[in-house]
Amino acid sequence: MKLLKPSWVSHNGKPIFSVDIHPDGTKFATGGQGEDSGKVMIWNMAPVLREEDEKNENIPKMLCQMDNHLACVNCVRWSNNGLYLASGGDDKLVMVWKRAAFIGPSTVFGSSSKLANVEQWRCVTILRNHTGDVMDVAWSPHDVWLASCSVDNTIVIWNARKFPEMVTCLRGHTGLVKGLTWDPVGKYIASQADDHSLKVWRTMDWQLETNITKPFSECGGTTHVLRLSWSPDGQYLVSAHAMNNSGPTAQIVERDGWKTNMDFVGHRKAVTVVKFNPKIFKKKQKNGGSPKPSCPYCCCAVGSKDRSLSVWLTSLKRPLVVIHDLFDKSIMDISWTLTGLGILVCSMDGTVAYLDFSLDELGDPLNEEEKNTIHQNIYGKSLAITSTEAQLSTTIIENPEMLKYQQERQNAAQAGSGPGGAGLESTAPKLNSVMNGESLEDIRKNLLKKQVETRTADGRRRITPLCIAQLDTGDFSPALFNSVPILPGSSMPSQLTPQLSSDSSQGQASSLGLRPSHDTLLTSPPVKQSLLLTSASKIEPMKALDSRFTERSKATPGVTADGSSILKDVKNKEETSSDSEDKMAAINKNLSFTKRKADLLMDGGEVVEKRKKGRPRKDKMATPISQCYTNKVLLLLLLNYKLKDCVCVFVQVSMEPSVFLEVENDVSVVAGSKLSQLRCSRDGREWDTLLPSSVVTAAGSSDVIAVACEDRMLSVFSSCGRRLLPAIQLATPMSALHCSSHFVMALTAGARLSVWDVQKQTALVKNESLLTIMSGADTTVSQSLLTQQGVPVIGLSSGKSYCFNSSLETWTLIADKGDSLVQCADFRSCLPSHDAPVSSGPLAVMQGRNLNAGRLASRLSSTPHHLQQSMTLAFLENQLAAALTLLSAQEYRYWLLIYARFLVNEGSEYRLRELCKELLGPVHKSAATAWEPTTLGLRKRELLRELLPVIGQNLRFQRLFTEYQEQLELLRNK
Amino acid sequence: MAKVQVLNVAVLDNPSPFGNPFQFEITFECMEDLPEDLEWKIIYVGSAESEEYDQTLDSVLVGPVPAGRHMFVFQADAPNTGLIPESDAVGVTVVLITCTYRGQEFIRIGYYVNNEYTDPELRENPPLKPDYTQLQRNILASNPRVTRFHINWEGSADRMEDSENVDPAPNISGMLPPSCIPGKVPPLGLMPDNSMDCM
């Protein structure tokens, strides 16, 4: 045996309460008192083990020190996988540390020591629950749980897979709990406390298995710690301080019946710490010795207040070695190397000692396989712990499909960024390079000038700090999606650009250009300005409409024409403006705009702008319920227009097939009554009909044309001019009229809504009052539309949008612009990478750009992550439900995919499972099931098939993935 | 444990004429998103004798602070000379940077400051009435004294009862928290050897 006291391992003379060797044996941690705080230090093992390394100046001794604990650190423990270090202290906290890879050496600011930290360990979690000093912490086998005990008499079991989640709190001790040890098999955890008891708890139900008091009845509560230990074969539990015939002992408790017949005696004062060697040994086979298999045995080190250390082999009646006067004060902690041959001991006197044993002294350690065999022989196959999965990173991929998705994901990650949604991500490397090296210096030089300083309402200075690095370890903040220097205070990235260095601003701008969800106004302000200069006044309202209704259209060629324009002219313009929605951005569109302006002026003031759209009907009602009979200027009615004295109005109502509607009031007077003419041109074929009263408003779709007259009559014609219904008499004048496929929607000045299915000749909505939704003094209808599926949607001036659900016969809220969920929901990371966002469906139309702003605002919001997660979840579920109510299949599919991605990212298994279950439906048909195979015309199982790759991206859900993939395969083959 | 760790404070524009503004470039790291702003203060200790000569040069809110590493420059005007006792104008004093969260101070960084005449003539025979235009301020940037206080970072609960939470008096001895166990922190009287020559 060799003994060494490395003098350089010290906390500046302050007590060292705990020591633990890293599982890989290359470093060890000490915990204790710091200058004015608790201190955790991590040391290099090599200089302890080898003299030449100790002398080599280039080999660091101290790797890291953390003085984050506010009071003395009582215990440090490495996780079994070596990734984490847990520390518990007098500040009632347990901190879990993880190594941060990317940061270089640094010092603790203000510490007297100028030693740099070679490794960076960062606190990833703080576990707060104890109300008193934390005395001991222990990781369970396989790092499933972390246990901590405290002078508050409790033991807390933490979920080590999901910090800071608490599994349970074990209550029952009536004194300070000073030591913990897990059963190596994982079935029990044992604790020893000042209340003269040792308690064993079951991990199955966290109930007390046994309470051992007899050996401790004579004990006084005089030791600082009571670190007990379980033997590696699980057969013996050895307590710290116990008494036998008024002599201090370490009590041996047998697993079998919790018998207390044996103890380790000989120490003159209380035993503070017992630590089993992690290895099981067998007798060293001497050359030529008998091959008789000897019984395996364990090795145990016992430290005491009497400052001495004893090492025992369970095969011997006497200790292997006893070392007296190793320290000046009580021994506080012991740690074995994983090889079982080295041992570190620390003391209250602030020093540590290292003991090195040889195989001759201890015997031959069993390898892991042999150790497992022993475990299996004793406990059978039912090792409690095997039911829990190993670390995810080491999880074996069980399914080839899963492997495929995982590989795809890796490839995608390597490619850096996919198209579309990855736009912002692509700027990250650029900015990282800016952040590194000299560029950081550049930033620093100009920090004072660049930093954003504002004044608060009460006139105080407020500085927005420059974010220079994200935390690499925690998932604390989705806001730190990229390590983009965030200069909050500006809600849009484009406003960031002038504040950043030039190259980064280019990156930002170009990435914005890539993002399909951004509207063009934001990205190309110069273009917008030039447009405003050339055709100022007329463009303004157009733009208002554009931005309101069409964030982006799927290349729906739109055209505008005047009443007197002839068809050819219209078609010409159609050719020049290939995409009416994007015309704001395109400079060459100036021409067509100005030309139109001229046309309008020639028209003698009768301005009727017509815009046609193939898909959902949209309109704007200047003054909603009260009918407005504006004489001359009818502003920007999409498809829908009101007129009284106008002589002639012309509108295109449908693109495919192209349908134009022309109304001429007062064409002739017959027997004192004025006749109006309705002319319709469909694919070049025209028809016309006469109406006995002035047409007030008209609307059409590819299937039907509806016309409301001054005498409150509503007439409906087929696309070929056949009258489909007799004139419908309305109670009050028509306020808004919409047609969409074969549905007709009428909103009257009496605030009543009706929707008819012309094909089936039934009413979907029967004269429903809007009063339900129009509560509040001055809410007015600001928008109304009818979807292709015949769902009427009403947008109110309060920012809320409702649709009438005819199956539920109620109004349902589908969008609320004041909804704070929208502002806070952050699902950016879940946006599909290649699909353009669906911005043309009724839901998108009603929610409008608000959604975009919310997505950006969430980057800067300081909402805690868990809250934001819940808000995002709630928001996405709202979207799904709204899309479902609106019967908007494409939007439903779009939000379903985002929702699934979010669930996968956040690991919400229950919701995900329920979703999959609903989509899969019953595998075997039975009459009792009410499951519908389709939703909104989308086949649910097809949707599930689409979701599977998303689920496959998270290895955690591979079981779920496999389960549903197999069932889908099964169903397909049926 | 503190959610905010000060990683570094760089003293900019140092040494500098007495009238120049103070500039500290502060780098800190935050563990979690902070719902409220941090409040930073620079306090100039006018006289070691009494805290009544302490001047808060400026206080500034810093936020929003998401999790991560951040930096900013805190600039504050030079102290009002009218508030400094003439006898204490020249010589060693202290400037303090404090940071509070929800009204609770959790860190106090103290620097020794030496104000002296650059002109050897003036140094030999300092005028009775200090000539601030000739004074040079030298902050001993290499030797900050950092005191951390335990505060309640969660806003909802009532403030922690610890005596540690009592804000230390902004006095020259205030670089030590009043509740500090003696001996835990090196006494301030122990000036580092490499400090400026004291009068």
Side-chain angles (χ1 to χ4, degrees):
Chain A
M1 187 197 78
K2 285 183 268 185
L3 176 66
L4 170 79
K5 283 195 79 173
S7 59
W8 42 269
V9 179
S10 88
H11 286 203
N12 287 339
K14 301 265 177 358
I16 298 177
F17 281 86
S18 184
V19 65
D20 201 38
I21 301 172
H22 192 272
D24 70 6
T26 60
K27 52 187 160 240
F28 64 98
T30 56
Q33 185 67 50
E35 300 292 329
D36 54 352
S37 62
K39 189 175 243 173
V40 176
M41 296 181 90
I42 296 172
W43 306 88
N44 195 352
M45 197 71 185
V48 176
L49 300 176
R50 282 174 297 276
E51 194 179 0
E52 58 266 37
D53 287 347
E54 187 175 10
K55 286 180 180 152
N56 187 342
E57 292 281 314
N58 295 323
I59 293 179
K61 295 185 172 67
M62 197 270 291
L63 299 178
C64 185
Q65 56 175 328
M66 298 92 94
D67 58 355
N68 301 43
H69 271 286
L70 290 151
C72 185
V73 175
N74 292 313
C75 190
V76 287
R77 293 289 180 259
W78 297 100
S79 63
N80 297 293
N81 60 18
L83 288 175
Y84 297 99
L85 175 71
S87 61
D90 283 356
D91 54 3
K92 305 163 189 159
L93 305 178
V94 177
M95 296 190 193
V96 180
W97 306 84
K98 188 182 179 211
R99 185 164 174 194
F102 76 98
I103 312 172
S106 73
T107 53
V108 174
F109 177 69
S111 73
S112 49
S113 129
K114 292 295 161 203
L115 278 173
N117 286 337
V118 180
E119 290 184 358
Q120 300 299 319
W121 288 78
R122 180 196 303 282
C123 180
V124 286
T125 316
I126 302 170
L127 306 175
R128 304 165 207 267
N129 188 264
H130 288 295
T131 55
D133 308 1
V134 177
M135 298 309 294
D136 206 2
V137 293
W139 297 87
S140 77
H142 302 281
D143 300 326
V144 180
W145 299 296
L146 176 69
S148 61
C149 66
S150 159
V151 301
D152 65 8
N153 301 359
T154 66
I155 299 147
V156 173
I157 312 291
W158 310 90
N159 182 350
R161 298 274 165 79
K162 243 171 130 182
F163 285 130
E165 187 181 294
M166 223 175 98
V167 176
T168 187
C169 178
L170 308 179
R171 295 171 199 279
H173 277 294
T174 54
L176 324 180
V177 189
K178 289 182 170 175
L180 285 175
T181 185
W182 290 91
D183 164 23
V185 187
K187 199 172 173 192
Y188 303 110
I189 179 171
S191 58
Q192 191 173 353
D194 265 354
D195 60 0
H196 313 299
S197 78
L198 185 160
K199 295 187 200 295
V200 180
W201 315 79
R202 290 187 294 268
T203 58
M204 188 75 81
D205 53 1
W206 303 112
Q207 295 302 307
L208 190 66
E209 166 79 15
T210 185
N211 183 22
I212 299 159
T213 53
K214 194 164 142 266
F216 310 105
S217 52
E218 294 174 61
C219 295
T222 52
T223 58
H224 189 86
V225 289
L226 294 167
R227 305 201 204 269
L228 66 173
S229 182
W230 215 302
S231 67
D233 61 0
Q235 288 300 89
Y236 300 102
L237 172 63
V238 178
S239 77
H241 186 38
M243 295 292 269
N244 187 357
N245 281 329
S246 54
T249 65
Q251 182 66 48
I252 300 170
V253 180
E254 291 174 55
R255 187 190 192 97
D256 182 15
W258 310 113
K259 292 191 285 271
T260 56
N261 299 327
M262 297 177 288
D263 48 14
F264 293 123
V265 293
H267 281 285
R268 282 160 295 159
K269 285 186 180 171
V271 170
T272 49
V273 49
V274 175
K275 199 60 154 283
F276 268 97
N277 190 314
K279 291 286 183 195
I280 301 173
F281 294 90
K282 62 182 182 223
K283 207 157 204 154
K284 184 105 186 145
Q285 299 290 324
K286 297 275 182 341
N287 283 343
S290 70
K292 182 186 78 171
S294 59
C295 192
Y297 55 89
C298 297
C299 171
C300 179
V302 179
S304 157
K305 254 182 114 179
D306 68 4
R307 303 175 286 132
S308 66
L309 176 83
S310 57
V311 178
W312 305 71
L313 301 179
T314 52
S315 59
L316 299 177
K317 296 216 155 117
R318 305 243 157 226
L320 183 70
V321 63
V322 180
I323 305 158
H324 288 291
D325 298 321
L326 191 56
F327 299 102
D328 295 332
K329 284 182 180 168
S330 167
I331 290 175
M332 297 306 291
D333 203 1
I334 298 171
S335 177
W336 289 91
T337 61
L338 211 58
T339 61
L341 296 178
I343 182 171
L344 268 172
V345 187
C346 72
S347 161
M348 191 86 117
D349 70 5
T351 62
V352 298
Y354 180 70
L355 279 73
D356 188 23
F357 294 92
S358 68
L359 292 174
D360 288 329
E361 290 160 324
L362 295 182
D364 276 334
L366 300 184
N367 59 31
E368 283 302 301
E369 204 174 299
E370 293 169 301
K371 197 170 148 182
N372 281 341
T373 313
I374 290 181
H375 279 172
Q376 290 199 356
N377 288 343
I378 301 174
Y379 308 105
K381 302 256 181 194
S382 63
L383 296 187
I385 213 67
T386 51
S387 61
T388 54
E389 298 165 60
Q391 278 295 106
L392 274 175
S393 55
T394 59
T395 303
I396 296 164
I397 297 174
E398 300 161 355
N399 183 319
E401 286 292 303
M402 189 81 192
L403 182 67
K404 197 177 88 191
Y405 290 124
Q406 288 285 326
Q407 281 169 345
E408 272 171 14
R409 194 169 65 125
Q410 273 170 12
N411 291 342
Q414 277 160 11
S417 55
L424 264 181
E425 279 156 32
S426 65
T427 63
K430 216 170 218 165
L431 286 160
N432 276 340
S433 65
V434 173
M435 298 311 295
N436 293 334
E438 286 188 353
S439 306
L440 181 60
E441 288 306 305
D442 293 343
I443 287 175
R444 288 183 58 177
K445 268 181 221 155
N446 297 311
L447 184 56
L448 183 63
K449 281 178 219 145
K450 278 184 187 166
Q451 73 186 8
V452 180
E453 190 170 317
T454 51
R455 293 270 172 186
T456 60
D458 50 347
R460 302 194 50 190
R461 288 170 66 194
R462 185 175 192 241
I463 294 173
T464 303
L466 179 76
C467 182
I468 54 172
Q470 66 184 88
L471 290 181
D472 64 331
T473 46
D475 321 312
F476 292 120
S477 169
L480 291 153
F481 198 71
N482 311 307
S483 56
V484 181
I486 296 167
L487 297 168
S490 54
S491 59
M492 299 285 181
S494 64
Q495 290 169 347
L496 276 172
T497 49
Q499 292 153 357
L500 296 169
S501 52
S502 58
D503 54 344
S504 69
S505 73
Q506 277 167 10
Q508 284 277 12
S510 64
S511 71
L512 280 171
L514 281 175
R515 291 195 59 169
S517 56
H518 272 276
D519 58 332
T520 50
L521 296 182
L522 243 176
T523 48
S524 52
V527 177
K528 179 181 133 197
Q529 270 167 13
S530 71
L531 274 177
L532 287 179
L533 283 176
T534 48
S535 51
S537 60
K538 291 295 170 200
I539 303 293
E540 274 301 337
M542 287 293 289
K543 192 177 65 204
L545 264 183
D546 249 38
S547 59
R548 178 151 178 182
F549 292 126
T550 59
E551 286 183 45
R552 188 185 149 79
S553 87
K554 281 184 188 159
T556 310
V559 79
T560 56
D562 301 321
S564 55
S565 320
I566 49 167
L567 221 81
K568 266 182 201 163
D569 190 13
V570 170
K571 287 210 169 126
N572 281 343
K573 280 177 193 162
E574 234 177 295
E575 280 153 19
T576 54
S577 60
S578 61
D579 187 341
S580 74
E581 317 308 331
D582 285 339
K583 67 177 72 157
M584 292 305 165
I587 295 170
N588 61 359
K589 299 294 186 297
N590 279 350
L591 294 170
S592 66
F593 268 104
T594 41
K595 189 173 160 199
R596 173 149 40 89
K597 190 179 165 191
D599 288 347
L600 290 173
L601 290 175
M602 286 193 301
D603 227 67
E606 281 200 11
V607 183
V608 179
E609 294 259 9
K610 285 140 296 182
R611 312 251 341 247
K612 55 112 212 240
K613 299 253 315 162
R615 272 160 300 95
R617 314 292 139 185
K618 298 154 192 172
D619 82 336
K620 180 180 167 74
M621 294 159 59
T623 357
I625 294 307
S626 60
Q627 178 73 290
C628 64
Y629 294 95
T630 44
N631 195 355
K632 297 262 164 166
V633 182
L634 295 169
L635 265 181
L636 297 172
L637 299 178
L638 289 169
L639 304 182
N640 195 9
Y641 55 94
K642 305 176 184 66
L643 62 162
K644 192 185 176 195
D645 299 333
C646 310
V647 174
C648 176
V649 169
F650 183 86
V651 69
Q652 180 173 15
V653 296
S654 169
M655 187 59 201
E656 288 288 343
S658 73
V659 179
F660 293 87
L661 212 57
E662 197 178 344
V663 172
E664 200 174 347
N665 285 339
D666 307 340
V667 274
S668 60
V669 179
V670 178
S673 69
K674 292 174 180 172
L675 285 182
S676 300
Q677 187 178 43
L678 174 71
R679 270 195 300 276
C680 183
S681 152
R682 179 190 161 96
D683 279 337
R685 284 188 310 229
E686 291 195 15
W687 55 266
D688 62 60
T689 184
L690 289 172
L691 293 157
S693 170
S694 293
V695 172
V696 171
T697 175
S701 70
S702 51
D703 296 331
V704 291
I705 310 289
V707 181
C709 298
E710 206 183 0
D711 57 0
R712 309 200 307 272
M713 287 289 188
L714 177 70
S715 304
V716 180
F717 303 94
S718 79
S719 53
C720 297
R722 230 159 24 91
R723 179 177 273 275
L724 293 172
L725 301 171
I728 296 169
Q729 179 70 54
L730 299 167
T732 45
M734 181 67 71
S735 174
L737 180 63
H738 298 282
C739 294
S740 184
S741 76
H742 51 91
F743 301 101
V744 176
M745 162 179 167
L747 186 61
T748 65
R752 300 229 162 224
L753 175 84
S754 301
V755 176
W756 299 279
D757 182 341
V758 178
Q759 207 168 51
K760 292 183 184 158
Q761 307 241 345
T762 53
L764 293 176
V765 179
K766 286 176 212 156
N767 210 22
E768 196 63 42
S769 170
L770 263 68
L771 292 174
T772 326
I773 56 172
M774 290 181 65
S775 58
D778 34 24
T779 34
T780 53
V781 175
S782 55
Q783 195 179 354
S784 63
L785 62 87
L786 182 65
T787 71
Q788 289 281 297
Q789 288 75 27
V791 179
V793 182
I794 304 286
L796 298 179
S797 59
S798 60
K800 291 188 163 99
S801 303
Y802 295 87
C803 77
F804 192 83
N805 188 324
S806 45
S807 55
L808 294 176
E809 296 199 330
T810 47
W811 289 99
T812 50
L813 180 71
I814 54 154
D816 184 358
K817 292 187 177 165
D819 191 349
S820 53
L821 289 177
V822 182
Q823 302 298 331
C824 300
D826 184 10
F827 50 88
R828 244 165 17 94
S829 55
C830 305
L831 286 177
S833 49
H834 38 84
D835 295 356
V838 179
S839 55
S840 49
L843 186 60
V845 168
M846 295 318 282
Q847 290 176 332
R849 165 193 322 218
N850 203 30
L851 212 53
N852 252 344
R855 283 205 318 236
L856 292 165
S858 67
R859 262 174 78 82
L860 305 162
S861 78
S862 51
T863 336
H865 177 63
H866 64 94
L867 191 60
Q868 188 164 47
Q869 189 189 340
S870 313
M871 287 197 284
T872 310
L873 201 61
F875 168 73
L876 291 176
E877 280 168 354
N878 284 349
Q879 292 292 98
L880 262 185
L884 206 56
T885 308
L886 286 170
L887 309 178
S888 172
Q890 282 316 304
E891 280 177 305
Y892 178 75
R893 182 178 155 270
Y894 173 72
W895 287 108
L896 183 71
L897 280 169
I898 292 180
Y899 179 61
R901 256 187 214 102
F902 186 78
L903 290 182
V904 168
N905 286 357
E906 298 294 329
S908 319
E909 186 170 358
Y910 288 129
R911 278 188 158 88
L912 197 59
R913 190 169 278 280
E914 197 188 57
L915 183 68
C916 292
K917 203 172 151 192
E918 158 63 20
L919 290 177
L920 184 76
V923 180
H924 304 287
K925 280 202 182 92
S926 86
T929 53
W931 187 74
E932 291 284 337
T934 60
T935 175
L936 307 182
L938 300 165
R939 293 182 59 82
K940 285 182 179 174
R941 287 176 182 160
E942 282 304 320
L943 285 174
L944 182 59
R945 216 179 292 281
E946 275 186 79
L947 293 191
L948 277 179
V950 175
I951 298 169
Q953 282 172 5
N954 191 339
L955 203 47
R956 242 173 95 178
F957 294 119
Q958 70 161 319
R959 293 282 164 83
L960 187 79
F961 174 87
T962 311
E963 189 182 324
Y964 282 97
Q965 196 222 4
E966 283 173 354
Q967 293 191 70
L968 276 178
E969 277 312 305
L970 200 76
L971 288 167
R972 189 205 294 243
N973 296 336
K974 257 186 182 177
Chain B
M1 138 181 185
K3 284 188 188 172
V4 172
Q5 300 283 322
V6 174
L7 300 178
N8 192 38
V9 176
V11 183
L12 308 180
D13 189 25
N14 185 49
S16 67
F18 188 86
N20 272 22
F22 282 90
Q23 281 185 11
F24 298 98
E25 178 204 275
I26 298 168
T27 310
F28 64 95
E29 189 171 85
C30 183
M31 306 260 314
E32 309 164 24
D33 295 359
L34 294 182
E36 289 185 24
D37 287 353
L38 296 167
E39 182 181 4
W40 294 82
K41 271 185 197 157
I42 298 180
I43 299 165
Y44 186 81
V45 175
S47 166
E49 305 301 322
S50 165
E51 59 187 87
E52 74 179 88
Y53 298 109
D54 285 0
Q55 293 184 35
T56 299
L57 299 185
D58 206 346
S59 92
V60 67
L61 298 173
V62 169
V65 183
R69 192 173 278 203
H70 309 274
M71 66 198 303
F72 70 100
V73 175
F74 188 2
Q75 176 169 317
D77 289 339
N80 180 349
T81 53
L83 302 174
I84 301 173
E86 289 182 356
S87 56
D88 289 301
V90 180
V92 176
T93 183
V94 163
V95 65
L96 299 169
I97 304 168
T98 68
C99 187
T100 54
Y101 183 68
R102 299 191 200 267
Q104 309 161 87
E105 180 174 322
F106 64 91
I107 192 165
R108 164 161 295 215
I109 301 154
Y111 283 100
Y112 292 105
V113 180
N114 191 27
N115 297 314
E116 62 178 3
Y117 293 109
T118 44
D119 182 0
E121 181 68 24
L122 281 170
R123 215 183 291 187
E124 291 296 313
N125 303 300
L128 259 177
K129 192 167 173 60
D131 180 0
Y132 286 103
T133 59
Q134 297 297 311
L135 270 181
Q136 189 194 50
R137 177 181 66 219
N138 190 352
I139 301 171
L140 182 57
S142 61
N143 207 344
R145 294 304 172 91
V146 181
T147 318
R148 298 181 171 97
F149 308 104
H150 197 175
I151 64 160
N152 178 12
W153 289 89
E154 315 300 328
S156 52
D158 32 15
R159 286 178 60 153
M160 309 209 36
E161 301 292 308
D162 298 14
S163 59
E164 279 180 337
N165 279 328
V166 179
D167 284 0
N171 172 309
I172 190 157
S173 62
M175 282 170 75
L176 312 180
S179 61
C180 252
I181 300 151
K184 270 194 164 178
V185 174
L188 195 84
L190 276 177
M191 287 293 287
D193 292 338
N194 60 345
S195 77
M196 309 70 50
D197 35 24
C198 309
M199 304 166 297

